[in-house]
């Protein structure tokens, strides 16, 4: 199969699916063209995923398609942006039709679930690597940055943390228990919190998505905002499955493992008080922002842990 | 060196360089933010480059930085778009500081030459692969597409063709002649024809950049426009260096080899007549668009050659 046939068969069905979208020219030309509505800004982010680094070798291609787009879309959620479209740069060792069919199916499900239309891309021969760039929009000036946290702000996280990290221990489990299946599902099918984007841009002062672990990602907010934080381990939202599987180590998963794609958010007390219950119900307050630098967990400074250490083990965004 | 330090040292200097740009939030947050001026559309394209496929193994990193951005920017030129910014997804086998310094220097030179500011990116551990997405803008509705060619239009190309393709034979030449150096320079430092973008969107009916070879890329215009073409080999613009190096095979380089990043353009006769001499001087008319399908070179149909054959040897854009 030639490359153009490959694209026509597996990827063009992902284009032109969002009728209300801002894309006015999709795949098939030198460039795509997007018309940003008046009064709105373009918000965009690129994520690279490498086999053996960001996902296991011989990982199920339908899961890969979903996870890759979910991970990228999570950055839009963290800005409070509404999703629009995405591009895909895919390098593949060989044309494996079954792999392509499964991969594109997972990608299509995610594309539909997240409201992200395929705008264009590039497919080449090479080691299995993906690079996805997602485009969203926000009202001008409404994008939530990492730098907006102020002393006294409350710090909250969405959902529960640590499940996806714990799942790494069970990827090869031949007969997984119900609890294992629950955390594996969090790893294989993360849901970026795009549902919270509208409320976030209305009430949050700062936001980051949790892709490298809570301590590391909260650390990004603190350094960008020039503040410190005090958080409490007893407040950390842990799923029952995680607690049953990991016992005392559940907290460690919640603090230090990534891949959950939940959000870490800051709110002024005033905003928190007037935020709707529908938002608060999905969040857990874990501490507050402090003028004094440092990331204190139960009174102990763990700032150094918040600094990602090695090139090999972290994906880091410019 | 950690990844954040790597980014700070080598890539942040490429951000924030274009004072008049539309980028309002650059690298360092979950997403970048671009404000598209009122009345303009966003134009964007992604290119993936893999070591050993799109550039030689152990290729000079400063050349790689330039070529990668030049190749991507060429797609903006082909739409008649004005350059704004770009993202870079880079996977590297290891942190080699000399390599990074040289690569980022080549990338910075191209960034300044083409007016493309770094907006964000992702750096990860993995096989040497790059993915660059370039962003430009055009007045709403002014982007030039592949599908606008009409029977009777003149077909023209910019510059001279085939030099970069011929250079592949001399990449390992220990003592290259002046002619070899001339074509090697075209390969190592292509100049996307952004200088023509303004005139193109005013006068051209269709455009494509020549990255896979004239026959293949003109073929894209013909199929997108539902037309045929008749071109003449005697009209093909060949550099003196190419003719001296390749003799009778020079034409073959011009027709079938890529990497020159010149443009292939169509013009209605009316537009051609009123186009300024400053534009025409940089173009060579090589034939005309025909209602009858087929790509006829000196009267012989070579449409089949215009269809890229294999997955391994072509980069193809979605």
């Amino acid at each position: 199969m030639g490359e153009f046939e490959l694209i026509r068969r597996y990827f063009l069905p992902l284009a032109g699916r969002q009728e209300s979208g801002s894309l006015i020219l999709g795949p098939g030309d030198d460039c795509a063209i997007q018309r940003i509505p008046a009064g709105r800004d373009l918000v965009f982010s690129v994520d690279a995923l490498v086999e053996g680094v960001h996902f296991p070798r011989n990982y199920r291609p339908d899961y890969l398609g979903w996870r890759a787009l979910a991970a990228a879309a999570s950055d839009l959620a963290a800005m409070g942006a509404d999703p629009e479209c995405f591009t895909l740069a895919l390098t593949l060792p060989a044309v494996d039709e079954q792999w392509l069919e499964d991969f594109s199916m997972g990608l299509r499900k995610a594309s539909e679930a997240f409201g992200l239309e395929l705008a264009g891309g590039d497919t080449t021969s090479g080691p299995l690597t993906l690079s996805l760039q997602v485009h969203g929009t926000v009202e001008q000036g409404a994008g939530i940055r990492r730098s907006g946290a102020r002393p006294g702000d409350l710090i909250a996280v969405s959902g529960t943390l640590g499940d996806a990290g714990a799942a790494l221990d069970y990827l090869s489990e031949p007969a997984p228990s119900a609890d294992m299946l629950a955390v594996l599902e969090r790893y294989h099918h993360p849901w970026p919190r795009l549902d919270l984007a509208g409320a976030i841009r209305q009430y949050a002062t700062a936001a980051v998505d949790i892709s490298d672990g809570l301590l590391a990602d909260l650390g990004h907010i603190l350094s960008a905002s020039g503040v410190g934080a005090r958080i409490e381990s007893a407040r950390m939202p842990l799923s029952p499955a995680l607690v049953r599987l990991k016992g005392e180590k559940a907290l460690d998963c919640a603090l230090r493992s990534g891949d959950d794609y939940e959000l870490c958010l800051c709110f002024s007390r005033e905003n928190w008080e007037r935020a709707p219950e529908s938002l608060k119900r999905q969040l857990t307050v874990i501490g507050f922002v402090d003028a004094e630098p440092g990331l204190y967990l139960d009174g102990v400074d763990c700032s150094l842990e918040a600094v990602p250490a090695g090139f090999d083990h972290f994906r880091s965004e410019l």
Side-chain angles (χ1 to χ4, degrees), chain A:
Chain A
M1 177 169 28
E3 196 161 2
F4 290 91
E5 173 61 15
L6 179 163
I7 288 166
R8 194 191 62 72
R9 193 177 303 176
Y10 297 111
F11 295 113
L12 288 191
L14 281 73
R17 300 185 72 85
Q18 312 297 333
E19 284 187 14
S20 60
S22 60
L23 198 67
I24 60 175
L25 180 63
D29 215 304
D30 290 287
C31 293
I33 302 180
Q34 189 180 0
R35 181 159 299 168
I36 310 301
R40 295 184 76 84
D41 283 334
L42 172 71
V43 176
F44 57 103
S45 173
V46 62
D47 273 349
L49 291 94
V50 179
E51 185 178 40
V53 179
H54 304 99
F55 57 93
R57 293 195 185 278
N58 301 311
Y59 189 54
R60 265 183 67 158
D62 52 340
Y63 290 179
L64 177 62
W66 178 284
R67 279 191 70 215
L69 193 57
S74 179
D75 287 312
L76 291 179
M79 300 297 284
D82 296 321
E84 294 282 353
C85 60
F86 73 102
T87 62
L88 167 68
L90 174 64
T91 68
L92 285 171
V95 176
D96 175 337
E97 298 198 28
Q98 187 61 54
W99 191 96
L100 281 161
E101 192 171 314
D102 293 346
F103 173 78
S104 63
M105 192 188 67
L107 190 66
R108 187 167 67 237
K109 283 184 184 167
S111 157
E112 290 169 357
F114 310 147
L116 285 161
E117 177 180 1
L118 183 69
D122 196 0
T123 310
T124 75
S125 167
L128 183 55
T129 308
L130 299 84
S131 168
L132 285 98
Q133 180 162 324
V134 287
H135 289 199
T137 61
V138 286
E139 274 179 57
Q140 289 186 0
I144 301 300
R145 306 182 182 195
R146 295 177 177 177
S147 55
R150 295 292 171 263
D153 282 2
L154 296 174
I155 300 170
V157 296
S158 63
T160 60
L161 302 184
D163 288 0
L168 292 172
D169 291 341
Y170 312 117
L171 287 175
S172 307
E173 181 66 38
S177 67
D179 284 339
M180 291 175 194
L181 286 172
V183 299
L184 282 165
E185 179 64 13
R186 291 286 309 272
Y187 178 82
H188 294 312
H189 291 111
W191 277 86
R193 302 307 299 251
L194 292 161
D195 55 320
L196 302 182
I200 287 167
R201 63 177 176 256
Q202 202 172 349
Y203 298 103
T205 54
V208 71
D209 76 317
I210 305 175
S211 53
D212 291 337
L214 174 65
L215 294 182
D217 290 312
L218 174 55
H220 292 317
I221 286 185
L222 303 185
S223 58
S225 300
V227 294
R230 293 177 173 268
I231 59 175
E232 293 174 39
S233 58
R235 292 177 178 267
M236 224 48 68
L238 308 175
S239 75
L242 178 68
V243 171
R244 283 192 295 263
L245 286 167
K246 292 292 174 185
E248 289 183 0
K249 298 201 168 165
L251 179 67
D252 194 60
C253 291
L255 294 171
R256 295 179 179 86
S257 67
D259 292 328
D260 283 315
Y261 298 106
E262 294 291 349
L263 298 175
C264 176
L265 306 162
C266 298
F267 296 90
S268 68
R269 308 237 173 190
E270 185 188 19
N271 279 6
W272 181 259
E273 270 165 33
R274 62 191 189 85
E277 279 305 314
S278 57
L279 173 64
K280 292 184 192 176
R281 205 180 304 131
Q282 300 184 70
L283 303 178
T284 305
V285 173
I286 59 167
F288 62 91
V289 176
D290 203 20
E292 186 192 336
L295 171 43
Y296 289 86
L297 174 69
D298 302 333
V300 178
D301 190 2
C302 53
S303 310
L304 286 179
E305 287 192 64
V307 180
F311 174 74
D312 290 341
H313 303 296
F314 281 88
R315 178 186 62 229
S316 108
E317 287 152 24
L318 289 188

